[in-house]
Each structure stands twice: as structure tokens, then as C-alpha cells.
Amino acid sequence: GAPERFLPRAGVPSQPIFLFSGVIAASRDATGRQAVLPPQGDRLLLFDQSGRFLRTVGEGDFSRAIAVTSGREGWVVVERDGNVIAVTGDAIAPSPLAAAVVSNPAAVAIGFGVATLTRFGDAFIAARSPFASAGAPEPDDAPLLIEIAPNGVVAATMDSTISLGDATLTTIANSGHLAAGDSLLFFAYLTRDQIRAYDRAGRRRWTADRGLRWPAEPARSPGGGPAALSYRPVNLSIAVLDDVVYVLAFADSTGSTMRVDAFDAATGVLARSVTLPASTMLISLDPKGALWHAPADTLSVIAAPPGTVIVDFTLPTPRGDSLSLRSFRGKVVLLNIWASWCGPCRDEFPLMARLAGELAAEEFAVVAVSDDMDESAAIRFLAEFDPPFATAFARGALERALNYRGLPYTVLLDREGRVIERYIGFGGADQFEKLHRDVVRALRDSPNR
């Protein structure tokens, strides 16, 4: 067991460092810019070093993309069927790396008909894809990984495979996930409780596991016919950040729970761990290393284009009249969705009140909308805090319009009602300081004329 446990927070931090979108690892380039594939693999989402959404690339052009890694001048995306695509700016084109893992004679002899990739220094490393099990017969001494030069030439091999005497079973047993740091490469087997680290010369530096008792080698079910395969996925994805290797895995043989484990990159020592419900999640870190989790479709909120205009709404207020969002045009608005049962909302409300009191009412407004289905609970909450800003009751009416998942959810709007920034969850005083700076910047950049 790990000596420490993550204490995960629900939501997305204000400056997220993305780890996993579903079971797809996010990628960072040398400048810290981030690339994330949504679980459906239909587009590439690009974020800056602070986790601020920049743009979408390739929407409608990708077919089940399952991996992304940084390239020499952009990003490299791998699709489920083995296609390798280079993304440079907004341009998308087949990558010369595809030849190495699909049609290069040397690679075909190794059995890499379908592979996944990660960049390691100036080269790329390929492993058998955990998303495809169709393998060609391989020699017993076949390598586990291959190194590919940027021009698509197979340059070297790493480690060796274990043969199960069956081409498909051998492919599954030796498939896995890749991630690379500055000096070490990391490989997590799909069906084994094992992670390996390699140096730039291809030498194995360490092997780590978590002492799980339930993993087993792939097999064919007795009497089930030639197509009846039996195997249990263990490791689902791997990512590396600075000196930590993060592994997303199943926590049990039923797949009912997942775990995130943090290994020391230099030694392979398991440092921290957490068990999470088995669901499709967006998992990220904040700048202090705390782990956050949110539904994967939260990406559709984070990655909505800046400048989107929030649809006007009119809602009842505690006073018995109505509140229209349009009535605040001309002011910078902080729209906050909360509920009386939400603990983080309770922590956030006094900070909202302080912010409203610090800034000129003719320039700035907080609009706090309750998501409670029970208005009496919301009224008791408001009586406790007596907020100095406008409040209203939505009873869930805004969830579909704003597409949020989880509370609190806050949107900063400019004077025309356009989205400047979104804040999912509440990350404490540090996140609120950033929100405060964003509000001040919005007031400065859009003076009231």
C-alpha cells in the first residue's frame, strides 16, 4: 500500500494540469501547453500552460483517436485502427510515423500492426496498442517496444515479449500504455500489475507493481470456440509529470472501482494512491499537486469557445419578483450556481459577498442562482448568509442551458453577456484569488462607456 493517500476534490481546479480524460492520457509539450482528447476521440482540445482553453482542432476529422503526444512542431494523434496523424497548428495530415508501425518491413516483422506512441526525446516509442488485439505471429524473442525516428525509420528495440503460444493472446499480454519524462520512459502493461521504466539507452531501470492478486494472463475460455478470449484489463492509462508517474488502473477484478497511483519516477516507489468510482472521468491536478476528478463531459463546458453569449433567463427571486440576466448588461457579471446542500458552496459564499462589497456596484454584479429543488432549503441558506447581491431560484432549469456538472459552477461574463471564464467547483482561497484577478482584469479591459 502507498504510504499516503490522495484526498481528491470534486470538480476542475482553476489552473488544471490534465492527467486523464476517460482512459486517454493528456499530453504536455516542452512549454507546458496541454492537449486533451475527449473520451469519444473525435477532436483535439488545446489548452495553455495554465489550463485555459485555446481552441479545438480536427473536429470531425478524427476517428476514435486513442492517444496524443507532443511532436516536433505540434502534436501526434493515434487513432484506434493505428492511423498516425500529425497536427501542426490547425493543419492535419498523415504522419510519416505511420509507415513505421503499419507498413515498415522491420516493424511488421515485430508484429506492430496496430500500435500506440509517445515521444521520448527526439524519437518516438511504439508499443502494441491496448485498444486492438489483432496480432500477427511473432518470434519468441520479439521486442516489447520499438524506437522510431521522426522520419519513420525503426531505430532500435527495447526489452522482450513473453510468448503465450497464441498470436492474439501474446499481443494482448504484451500490449500497454506509454508515457515519457525527460530521461526515462514508462510502460504499463494492460493485463499485468506491472510498470516498467527505461532509460534513453533502452535499459530497464526499475519494475514496480501494487501487489494486486487478481491479474491473470490472457487465455481462451474453455469450450468457447476460437474467438472466446478471456482477459482482465489492469492498467488503463499512464501519465508522467515532473518526477511523478501517474497510473490509472482498475482496483479489483470486477472493474467496479478504479485507482490512481503515483509512483516516484526515479525509483518506482509507490508514494500515493486513491480509489475512485469506476466511471468515465476527467482527472487533473492543481498547481499544488492535489488531485481533482469530474465527469468526463465536463470537457464540453471547459472547452466551449470564449465569447459565447449566455442565453438570457428570467427566474423567480426570494422577494417574489423575477430576475432577468439581460437586466445586468453593461456590467461585468459573476454568475454563480449553488445549492444549500453543497459544502463547497457554503465555503464560497462569504468570499462572493466580500468580492461584491469591494467592487463598484455600477460596474460589477454577482448573480447567485440556487439549484435547490426545495426552495425552502435555499431560503434558509440565504437567511443564514444574507448575501449583498442578487439571488434567484432555478430548480435545475439552467443545468441543460449551461451544461454544467457539479456545483458550485461559476461563469464570468463581460458587459455584453459573453463568457470570459468558467470555474468548476471551488478550490479554496487560491482559486478565488485568481477569480478576483480575472474580475479586475475584465473591468479594466472593458470599461463602461
Side-chain angles (χ1 to χ4, degrees):
E4 296 183 36
R5 294 189 63 78
F6 283 112
L7 298 176
R9 301 180 180 182
V12 180
S14 60
Q15 299 182 55
I17 303 167
F18 297 107
L19 289 179
F20 307 110
S21 168
V23 297
I24 305 175
S27 183
R28 290 161 58 91
D29 66 12
T31 70
R33 290 175 297 188
Q34 306 180 72
V36 181
L37 286 166
Q40 61 270 32
D42 60 348
R43 61 196 187 280
L44 184 64
L45 307 175
L46 301 180
F47 298 82
D48 68 11
Q49 296 88 335
S50 298
R52 184 186 293 270
F53 176 66
L54 298 175
R55 66 185 188 280
T56 298
V57 179
E59 188 162 10
D61 294 322
F62 294 135
S63 175
R64 303 290 299 278
I66 50 88
V68 58
T69 186
S70 62
R72 300 183 71 179
E73 297 180 352
W75 307 94
V76 174
V77 173
V78 182
E79 295 182 318
R80 193 182 184 98
D81 61 3
N83 290 330
V84 184
I85 300 170
V87 179
T88 304
D90 290 324
I92 297 173
S95 169
L97 295 169
V101 293
V102 177
S103 59
N104 185 289
V108 169
I110 297 169
F112 276 64
V114 180
T116 188
L117 295 167
T118 193
R119 186 178 179 186
F120 187 34
D122 292 330
F124 291 83
I125 307 299
R128 292 160 185 80
S129 173
F131 297 94
S133 60
E138 302 182 32
D140 291 341
D141 59 349
L144 182 66
L145 310 171
I146 58 175
E147 179 182 332
I148 306 168
N151 63 0
V153 175
V154 175
T157 61
M158 294 184 184
D159 218 332
S160 58
T161 58
I162 293 179
S163 176
L164 299 184
D166 178 299
T168 299
L169 297 180
T170 295
T171 299
I172 296 171
N174 292 288
S175 66
H177 308 271
L178 291 165
D182 292 335
S183 59
L184 291 176
L185 170 77
F186 307 95
F187 175 74
Y189 281 95
L190 173 66
T191 60
R192 294 183 192 172
D193 175 24
Q194 191 175 114
I195 299 97
R196 295 182 177 183
Y198 303 87
D199 61 21
R200 289 189 180 275
R203 298 182 294 248
R204 197 191 309 177
R205 299 297 297 271
W206 53 255
T207 300
D209 63 54
R210 287 147 296 200
L212 303 178
R213 298 182 180 274
W214 52 268
E217 294 288 5
R220 293 194 183 274
S221 301
L229 299 176
S230 173
Y231 67 93
R232 296 171 176 169
V234 179
N235 294 311
L236 303 175
S237 197
I238 184 170
V240 60
L241 182 68
D242 298 328
D243 57 353
V244 182
V245 179
Y246 297 90
V247 180
L248 178 68
F250 278 130
D252 54 41
S253 60
T254 66
S256 60
T257 55
M258 295 194 303
R259 56 189 290 161
V260 177
D261 298 291
F263 295 84
D264 179 81
T267 64
V269 172
L270 178 60
R272 288 190 289 174
S273 183
V274 67
T275 301
L276 299 168
S279 59
T280 304
M281 293 185 181
L282 177 66
I283 299 176
S284 57
L285 301 173
D286 65 23
K288 293 185 177 180
L291 186 141
W292 293 64
H293 64 93
D297 58 4
T298 305
L299 274 173
S300 64
V301 177
I302 299 172
T308 302
V309 176
I310 293 292
V311 177
D312 184 40
F313 55 77
T314 300
L315 298 171
T317 75
R319 299 186 305 271
D321 55 4
S322 61
L323 179 147
S324 170
L325 183 63
R326 185 174 295 276
S327 66
F328 293 90
R329 293 289 168 84
K331 297 182 180 183
V332 171
V333 173
L334 199 64
L335 173 63
N336 175 248
I337 314 297
W338 57 277
S340 62
W341 45 260
C342 166
C345 301
R346 179 173 293 275
D347 296 335
E348 185 182 46
F349 235 67
L351 297 176
M352 291 281 188
R354 190 181 74 188
L355 183 63
E358 290 177 354
L359 301 172
E362 64 271 16
E363 298 286 328
F364 172 72
V366 174
V367 178
V369 177
S370 167
D371 210 36
D372 284 280
M373 300 307 292
D374 179 3
E375 288 186 7
S376 62
I379 290 173
R380 290 193 296 271
F381 182 96
L382 294 173
E384 177 182 350
F385 287 96
D386 190 23
F389 45 73
T391 59
F393 303 133
R395 294 175 57 89
L398 295 184
E399 184 173 358
R400 182 178 297 275
L402 299 183
N403 197 27
Y404 57 84
R405 299 289 187 273
L407 298 175
Y409 175 66
T410 306
V411 187
L412 180 60
L413 305 174
D414 68 12
R415 298 179 191 274
E416 301 301 318
R418 295 184 295 256
V419 174
I420 298 173
E421 186 62 277
R422 294 171 171 84
Y423 312 88
I424 301 170
F426 176 59
D430 290 344
Q431 176 178 308
F432 208 84
E433 285 303 314
K434 178 185 180 301
L435 186 152
H436 186 283
R437 292 193 298 271
D438 291 344
V439 170
V440 171
R441 186 182 304 113
L443 289 168
R444 182 194 64 211
D445 294 346
S446 59
N448 192 352
R449 305 186 192 284

